[in-house]
Amino acid sequence: MKRFSAFRHVTALNLHGCGKITADDIAFIKGWKLTTLDVSSCCLLNDECLELVRDMPLEALDLSACGHSSSMCCRFTNTGMKMLAEMELPLRRLALVGNGHVDKEGLRHLQSLPLESLDLQHMFQLQDDSLVDIGEIKTLEELNLVSTGQRLSSLVALKKLPLRKLNLSWCRDFNGSVIAEMVREGMPIESLQLDSVNASPAHLTQLHELPRLRSL
């Protein structure tokens, strides 16, 4: 531990892909003042290691799995999301790409965090009503739902959010009629990605009525 004491001034730490490290191996970061931590694709880390970030001024955290849907390489669960919420971290950006264990219960815990960006790509277990829980994260400005597989009929549950960027690419069950509801609610989206979604030209032409849309 002592050999790492000289690095206590570090504010960003990237451990992406360190597949053999455990919570004990990174115990030296306890007490550091990290604002950014990336432990994506660290297959042996689990909820236990989140205790290390308690009292950190952490603003960005990446807990993504290895690959697109490798739940076996991701051990972070709803319990971990509850831990983050109880720590009252100033967390603004959270990535859970490919996490197969966090569901709507975990998303509900995130509602108390000041999140501005949430990346849920390839979380196939999410249900349509998960959007209702996401809609309660009142500070959310960026949401990535690539390949979540939802029909997304509850997309208007996000209408009260200051949502600027929304990525729905490869959501093959996307219900194009939801676009009309987005327009009707005047959602403040500035950037919308719809690569390979099942939406008709009639639905897509309505997008020009989104008042703030600048990127499509």
Side-chain angles (χ1 to χ4, degrees):
M1 301 293 180
K2 190 174 182 180
R3 65 183 181 276
F4 293 108
S5 60
F7 296 95
R8 294 178 68 87
H9 62 284
V10 169
T11 58
L13 182 62
N14 189 336
L15 297 174
H16 169 78
C18 295
K20 295 184 179 181
I21 62 172
T22 66
D24 288 339
D25 294 327
I26 62 171
F28 61 84
I29 70 172
K30 189 174 181 63
W32 287 23
K33 300 301 181 182
L34 294 178
T35 58
T36 301
L37 177 62
D38 184 344
V39 291
S40 57
S41 301
C42 294
C43 301
L44 298 182
L45 296 184
N46 55 26
D47 296 332
E48 177 188 354
C49 81
L50 296 178
E51 189 61 37
L52 297 173
V53 305
R54 186 179 295 276
D55 299 323
M56 285 186 182
L58 199 63
E59 298 180 359
L61 179 62
D62 194 335
L63 303 177
S64 299
C66 178
H68 290 165
S69 57
S70 303
S71 59
M72 293 301 291
C73 190
C74 184
R75 301 169 185 266
F76 296 104
T77 69
N78 293 334
T79 298
M81 302 306 103
K82 182 180 180 180
M83 290 172 64
L84 292 176
E86 291 174 345
M87 291 177 194
E88 299 183 345
L89 298 171
L91 200 61
R92 297 187 298 110
R93 305 183 67 85
L94 177 63
L96 297 170
V97 178
N99 183 301
H101 305 299
V102 173
D103 55 24
K104 61 177 298 177
E105 177 188 342
L107 295 176
R108 198 171 295 124
H109 291 308
L110 300 180
Q111 293 172 1
S112 63
L113 292 171
L115 289 175
E116 297 175 4
S117 175
L118 183 59
D119 193 342
L120 305 178
Q121 293 181 68
H122 307 289
M123 289 179 61
F124 304 112
Q125 75 278 15
L126 295 184
Q127 300 297 314
D128 189 47
D129 57 2
S130 299
L131 291 174
V132 176
D133 297 302
I134 295 172
E136 294 300 319
I137 305 176
K138 301 300 186 182
T139 51
L140 201 61
E141 298 182 6
E142 301 179 10
L143 178 61
N144 194 331
L145 294 172
V146 168
S147 292
T148 53
Q150 306 181 69
R151 288 191 60 80
L152 302 174
S153 59
S154 298
L155 201 61
V156 289
L158 309 177
K159 65 182 181 182
K160 295 182 180 180
L161 299 181
L163 202 60
R164 297 184 299 104
K165 296 183 179 181
L166 179 62
N167 193 338
L168 303 174
S169 298
W170 294 95
C171 292
R172 294 301 183 89
D173 291 329
F174 175 77
N175 186 345
S177 62
V178 172
I179 291 177
E181 296 183 43
M182 293 168 61
V183 171
R184 190 180 310 119
E185 297 294 340
M187 294 177 69
I189 296 172
E190 299 174 7
S191 175
L192 179 63
Q193 292 179 255
L194 295 171
D195 299 358
S196 298
V197 299
N198 184 24
S200 69
H203 290 139
L204 294 175
T205 54
Q206 299 178 63
L207 288 172
H208 77 277
E209 297 183 42
L210 285 175
R212 300 187 186 180
L213 188 62
R214 298 293 181 269
S215 176
L216 181 62

